[in-house]
Amino acid sequence: MNAVRDKLIVEGLRLRTDRQAIDESIGAGEIVGLAGLDGNGQERFLEMLAGLVAPAGGSIGYRDDVGRTHAINSFRRAVSHGVAYLPRDRRASGIFPALSILDNFAMATVTRDCVAGLISYRRRRERYDHYRERLSIVAPHPREPITTLSGGNQQKVLLARALALQPGVLLLNDPTRGVDIATRKILYEVFRELSNEGMALVILSTEIEESLHLCDRVLVFRDFELASRLSGEEMSADRIIATMFGRDS
């Protein structure tokens, strides 16, 4: 492993106690895709990286920019050490429908808006405007309810919330699900920019072509095990599908 570039280090990780252990490292600037038929472990793997689900065995570590490695064993610890997670179902586990666009954006970073112990609306608005411009969020006044936004713009607000944490690793669970083509294009451009800036991205996508389009390599899961690591010329839709169905040998 490269002690400088590795951001996530997975050692002996088991998705289930009766499955083979996984050793993996994800480097700074990498975009790594996760693929597999639904219910074969790729989502559980991503949730373990986020600290949302406890591993059945093994460990997950995050290496910060000065080379210190921190154990990831809870969602709170993951966030505090530079790992951000964007959930798949924005309505069920992402947005707070009763709150404004601005409050939804700032939910994870409230303390960064405080001046002398009081929340500064100006500081919060400035942070929001920065990400609104970067992500091309189309929205009315930020104090309007987040439910006034289209699904694609709601997704951008959630991504802005994650990026406001200034993470070293961004975990994305089907991030373009249910968004239009224009929004998808913007998200792709942002993901590549973040990678070029040195952020590590792990993207679970239910669309194989998306993984091939975005990712440097793809981890394919089958029956709660890592069935294959594909990169370079090995990365093709046919190879991924064959691995998913156990026809890769």
Side-chain angles (χ1 to χ4, degrees):
M1 296 181 184
N2 187 321
V4 176
R5 288 189 54 80
D6 286 343
K7 300 300 288 185
L8 275 180
I9 304 99
V10 172
E11 296 180 329
L13 188 75
R14 293 182 187 273
L15 304 182
R16 292 190 351 193
T17 55
D18 58 346
R19 293 297 185 262
Q20 291 185 359
I22 299 169
D23 293 312
E24 188 62 49
S25 61
I26 297 169
E30 262 197 306
I31 303 180
V32 177
L34 306 182
L37 297 173
D38 282 348
N40 271 254
Q42 66 273 19
E43 186 167 24
R44 182 175 297 185
F45 179 75
L46 188 70
E47 290 174 341
M48 286 179 179
L49 297 183
L52 291 166
V53 174
S59 65
I60 301 165
Y62 168 75
R63 183 171 284 126
D64 63 26
D65 292 336
V66 296
R68 296 172 299 194
T69 302
H70 309 271
I72 301 301
N73 50 29
S74 71
F75 182 70
R76 183 185 297 272
R77 189 171 177 84
V79 171
S80 68
H81 289 305
V83 180
Y85 174 74
L86 189 68
R88 172 181 292 193
D89 191 338
R90 60 178 172 266
R91 292 190 179 277
S93 54
I95 68 168
F96 295 85
L99 299 183
S100 70
I101 299 165
L102 191 60
D103 286 341
N104 267 274
F105 160 75
M107 186 60 62
T109 51
V110 172
T111 57
R112 300 186 188 186
D113 302 321
C114 292
V115 177
L118 300 174
I119 292 177
S120 167
Y121 175 81
R122 180 187 60 80
R123 179 176 294 187
R124 177 172 293 184
R125 177 66 187 267
E126 287 174 352
R127 288 198 307 117
Y128 166 75
D129 284 342
H130 168 76
Y131 291 103
R132 178 181 56 79
E133 292 176 9
R134 179 165 192 180
L135 299 176
S136 300
I137 298 172
V138 179
H141 194 281
R143 284 185 168 169
E144 292 294 316
I146 194 168
T147 50
T148 62
L149 302 185
S150 67
N153 283 293
Q154 288 179 17
Q155 187 75 334
K156 289 178 188 176
V157 172
L158 294 184
L159 179 58
R161 179 201 295 170
L163 294 181
L165 291 165
Q166 300 179 311
V169 176
L170 183 61
L171 308 176
L172 302 161
N173 193 337
D174 221 1
T176 64
R177 180 187 185 195
V179 304
D180 58 36
I181 294 174
T183 298
R184 185 173 297 222
K185 182 179 179 181
I186 291 169
L187 292 178
Y188 288 172
E189 291 174 354
V190 170
F191 297 157
R192 291 194 184 94
E193 289 172 2
L194 294 171
S195 170
N196 290 336
E197 292 167 6
M199 188 180 294
L201 289 83
V202 184
I203 302 177
L204 189 162
S205 177
T206 52
E207 298 184 23
I208 293 174
E209 291 302 324
E210 181 168 272
S211 296
L212 295 174
H213 182 66
L214 274 176
C215 301
D216 301 307
R217 56 193 179 95
V218 177
L219 308 180
V220 186
F221 289 78
R222 185 175 67 246
D223 198 19
F224 292 90
E225 292 181 355
L226 178 54
S228 186
R229 298 173 174 87
L230 303 178
S231 61
E233 295 182 357
E234 294 179 320
M235 280 176 55
S236 69
D238 289 344
R239 185 67 183 275
I240 292 173
I241 291 170
T243 304
M244 287 179 177
F245 286 94
R247 301 196 299 262
D248 51 316
S249 57

